[in-house]
């Protein structure tokens, strides 16, 4: 049997983790000197409320090797093999730290999922269906699944990217004045890519609807509607898409830190 370990960027709550039989390692969010473990010390609602009212802008921290190894040692007590499935290696140094821990054990493996948020959740839930297989077989499945996963999201604000150092002040100011809403996706390597710049959220959501090929959606797997803090824009997107979604997910604090409130999007798997 294989025990799966992921991180809180997967949008899998601790309650869901217990029900699924997966270990979710919490990433850390810092508001000044205050430190919160994602999903343990602070949930989505509490985070977005604090984001709106706190003078300090939050920053996120990687997993520590001690944190990873503690999870691995615990998992090895109940499984033959352990498979670590952290967020994409291009998005965080957590992947390299997972590799460093795995190298200490013959039966611990690391999968570069090349994704995060509910894309990672989808990968993990599919991996759990193969828990009676080998870690190598599960990793091969994830590698084959990842190119079929699609995410499109429209951001309502550029301020969080600016404050997080991922966008220049001038670009953020111009974007704010012109009401530019970027439509983003993840490339096959997991990097964030900008697909389009739209004038206004409505046009951004319409652009997402035009990108989604409804004939290619694999409805045997979850179709996630995603949002940050407020689901108003996500509901507008659903009206434009005219499809059914499996779940509406408020994006976890560690990802919400970077994209801000009122974002909306969709995650699904193609046939």
């Amino acid at each position: 049997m294989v025990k799966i370990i992921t991180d809180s960027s997967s949008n899998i709550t601790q309650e869901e983790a217990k029900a699924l039989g997966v270990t979710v390692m919490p990433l850390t969010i810092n508001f000044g000197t205050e430190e919160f473990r994602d999903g343990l010390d602070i949930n989505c609602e509490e985070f977005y409320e604090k984001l709106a009212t706190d003078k300090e802008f939050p920053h996120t921290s990687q997993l520590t090797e001690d944190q990873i190894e503690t999870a691995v040692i615990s998992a090895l007590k109940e499984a033959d093999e352990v498979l670590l499935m952290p967020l994409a290696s291009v998005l965080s140094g957590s992947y390299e730290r997972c590799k460093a821990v795995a190298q200490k054990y013959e039966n611990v493996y690391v999968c570069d999922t090349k994704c995060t948020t509910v894309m990672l959740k989808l990968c993990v839930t599919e991996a759990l269906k193969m828990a009676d297989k080998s870690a190598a077989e599960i990793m091969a499945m994830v590698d084959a699944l990842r190119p079929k996963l699609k995410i499109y999201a429209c951001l309502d604000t550029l301020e969080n990217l600016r404050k997080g150092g991922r966008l220049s002040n001038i670009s953020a100011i111009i974007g704010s004045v012109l009401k530019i809403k970027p439509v983003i996706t993840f490339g096959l390597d997991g990097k964030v890519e900008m697909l389009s710049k739209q004038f206004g959220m409505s046009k951004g959501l319409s652009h997402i609807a035009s990108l989604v090929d409804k004939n290619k959606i694999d409805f045997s797997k979850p179709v996630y509607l995603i949002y940050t803090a407020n689901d108003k824009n996500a509901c507008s997107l659903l009206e434009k898409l005219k499809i059914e979604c499996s779940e509406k997910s408020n994006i976890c604090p560690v990802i919400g830190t970077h994209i801000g409130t009122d974002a909306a999007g969709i995650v699904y798997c193609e046939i």
Side-chain angles (χ1 to χ4, degrees):
M1 177 187 158
V2 178
K3 180 74 174 182
I4 307 292
I5 300 175
T6 188
D7 61 57
S8 61
S9 79
S10 65
N11 242 71
I12 299 174
T13 67
Q14 293 297 327
E15 292 75 17
E16 287 176 317
K18 289 177 184 177
L20 291 169
V22 63
T23 298
V24 174
M25 299 180 290
L27 292 158
T28 303
I29 305 107
N30 297 284
F31 282 88
T33 58
E34 290 186 283
E35 184 175 283
F36 301 91
R37 292 170 298 169
D38 186 8
L40 281 177
D41 303 322
I42 193 167
N43 61 28
C44 287
E45 291 73 22
E46 293 165 340
F47 168 75
Y48 288 113
E49 182 178 348
K50 192 169 180 63
L51 184 64
T53 58
D54 204 296
K55 293 179 181 179
E56 296 283 352
F57 181 75
H59 295 276
T60 58
S61 300
Q62 303 171 18
L63 296 168
T64 67
E65 286 190 27
D66 285 345
Q67 184 182 5
I68 297 162
E69 189 154 23
T70 296
V72 164
I73 291 170
S74 178
L76 284 172
K77 294 176 182 177
E78 52 183 291
D80 303 309
E81 294 181 321
V82 170
L83 179 59
L84 290 153
M85 296 179 65
L87 73 167
S89 61
V90 297
L91 297 176
S92 170
S94 293
Y95 173 78
E96 291 300 327
R97 293 182 179 185
C98 284
K99 276 181 63 177
V101 171
Q103 288 171 357
K104 301 178 183 180
Y105 302 88
E106 291 183 0
N107 51 350
V108 177
Y109 305 86
V110 186
C111 176
D112 188 354
T113 59
K114 300 182 176 68
C115 63
T116 187
T117 189
V118 294
M119 292 179 80
L120 180 51
K121 181 177 184 176
L122 205 158
C123 286
V124 169
T125 53
E126 289 300 304
L128 289 169
K129 295 175 183 178
M130 297 179 62
D132 60 337
K133 307 293 185 182
S134 68
E137 288 174 294
I138 295 174
M139 287 191 288
M141 181 277 294
V142 173
D143 285 343
L145 176 67
R146 176 59 186 86
K148 298 178 182 179
L149 298 184
K150 302 295 178 183
I151 181 170
Y152 301 114
C154 186
L155 308 191
D156 186 58
T157 177
L158 298 173
E159 191 63 11
N160 290 64
L161 290 173
R162 182 190 70 80
K163 288 182 177 178
R166 288 168 169 79
L167 190 69
S168 71
N169 286 345
I170 294 174
S171 295
I173 291 168
I174 292 173
S176 177
V177 170
L178 297 178
K179 296 184 179 180
I180 291 173
K181 310 298 181 185
V183 176
I184 63 169
T185 189
F186 290 145
L188 290 178
D189 59 356
K191 285 183 181 177
V192 177
E193 297 178 359
M194 188 176 296
L195 294 175
S196 174
K197 296 177 183 178
Q198 299 292 321
F199 294 101
M201 179 59 72
S202 181
K203 288 186 178 179
L205 299 178
S206 293
H207 186 67
I208 290 176
S210 73
L211 292 171
V212 176
D213 188 340
K214 289 178 274 192
N215 294 318
K216 290 185 178 180
I217 297 176
D218 183 353
F219 285 102
S220 70
K221 293 180 174 61
V223 177
Y224 295 103
L225 199 65
I226 56 175
Y227 65 95
T228 52
N230 188 321
D231 69 354
K232 179 181 69 175
N233 290 328
C235 291
S236 295
L237 174 59
L238 194 59
E239 289 177 8
K240 293 175 185 291
L241 288 166
K242 293 181 171 61
I243 61 172
E244 291 186 8
C245 68
S246 313
E247 186 179 312
K248 203 158 49 170
S249 295
N250 195 359
I251 295 301
C252 65
V254 74
I255 302 298
T257 293
H258 302 289
I259 61 178
T261 59
D262 296 323
I266 184 172
V267 172
Y268 63 93
C269 182
E270 285 192 337
I271 297 170

